[in-house]
């Protein structure tokens, strides 16, 4: 049985190319590829390596599906806010006031939300600007969305 590092080197390029073809964005493809190999690492002792790279492609496909679903939900919530993410105007001010009025949000959550939805920055740009990793930015955005959804459901 081959070691993990050998399997990683053998399948990395093919898995990355597949991820990039499925999502169409290099940054997301890198993240999905990493997720696939982390998942493999966790079960490496129990998996039949003859099932590779098909097993890895399945993980990538599932992560890509999750990405597209999240993107659709994000677009739906943006449309529901009646808010243009980039550009000056009153909707931005209302969004900022709404964020500042949300007591559950910590300053880091407000920061990533503002950079993402007011300034239109991608996760990589937010990470660079705030000195975080893209994974941290992703986590802060997801948790901020969860907190805001809870707050909205309580307000209804």
């Amino acid at each position: 049985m081959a070691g993990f590092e050998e399997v990683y080197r053998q399948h990395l390029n093919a898995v990355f190319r597949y991820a990039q073809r499925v999502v169409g964005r290099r940054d997301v493809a890198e993240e999905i590829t990493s997720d696939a190999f982390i998942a493999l690492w966790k079960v490496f002792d129990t998996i039949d390596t003859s099932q590779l790279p098909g097993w890895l492609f399945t993980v990538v496909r599932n992560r890509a599906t999750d990405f597209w679903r999240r993107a659709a939900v994000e677009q739906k919530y943006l449309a529901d806010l009646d808010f243009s993410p980039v550009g000056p105007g009153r909707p931005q001010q209302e969004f900022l006031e709404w964020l500042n009025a949300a007591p559950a949000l910590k300053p880091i959550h407000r920061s990533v939300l503002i950079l993402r939805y007011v300034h239109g920055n991608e996760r990589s740009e937010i990470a660079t600007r705030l000195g975080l990793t893209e994974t941290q930015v992703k986590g802060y955005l997801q948790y901020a969305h969860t907190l805001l959804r809870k707050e909205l459901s309580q307000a209804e």
Side-chain angles (χ1 to χ4, degrees):
M1 183 160 110
F4 178 80
E5 292 166 0
E6 182 181 333
V7 169
Y8 177 80
R9 279 193 296 274
Q10 182 181 2
H11 298 293
L12 175 63
N13 290 333
V15 171
F16 175 71
R17 283 192 311 268
Y18 177 68
Q20 196 164 12
R21 191 170 50 243
V22 172
V23 295
R25 289 182 40 194
R26 182 179 182 85
D27 60 328
V28 177
E30 289 171 351
E31 188 174 327
I32 289 173
T33 301
S34 296
D35 287 348
F37 280 102
I38 288 170
L40 177 62
W41 172 258
K42 290 178 180 178
V43 298
F44 190 71
D45 293 335
T46 61
I47 196 164
D48 178 9
T49 55
S50 68
Q51 300 294 318
L52 301 175
W55 186 91
L56 288 164
F57 290 154
T58 300
V59 172
V60 168
R61 187 189 67 231
N62 292 340
R63 295 297 194 282
T65 300
D66 292 343
F67 167 76
W68 287 115
R69 284 181 183 151
R70 275 192 314 273
V73 168
E74 188 175 289
Q75 290 302 317
K76 178 187 174 287
Y77 281 107
L78 281 175
D80 289 348
L81 286 174
D82 191 28
F83 161 73
S84 173
V86 180
R90 184 73 185 141
Q92 270 189 5
Q93 187 60 35
E94 290 172 6
F95 179 71
L96 293 172
E97 289 170 6
W98 181 67
L99 281 181
N100 287 327
L105 291 178
K106 293 182 179 178
I108 189 67
H109 298 125
R110 284 187 184 89
S111 298
V112 295
L113 287 169
I114 289 168
L115 288 171
R116 177 74 175 110
Y117 299 112
V118 175
H119 297 286
N121 293 62
E122 294 293 326
R123 283 195 305 236
S124 59
E125 297 168 313
I126 297 169
T128 301
R129 191 161 181 188
L130 297 179
L132 302 169
T133 65
E134 286 188 51
T135 304
Q136 288 173 313
V137 171
K138 176 183 174 184
Y140 286 133
L141 282 169
Q142 287 177 340
Y143 191 63
H145 290 150
T146 301
L147 292 173
L148 290 174
R149 276 193 291 276
K150 282 182 187 177
E151 202 160 302
L152 284 172
S153 67
Q154 290 172 356
E156 291 177 349

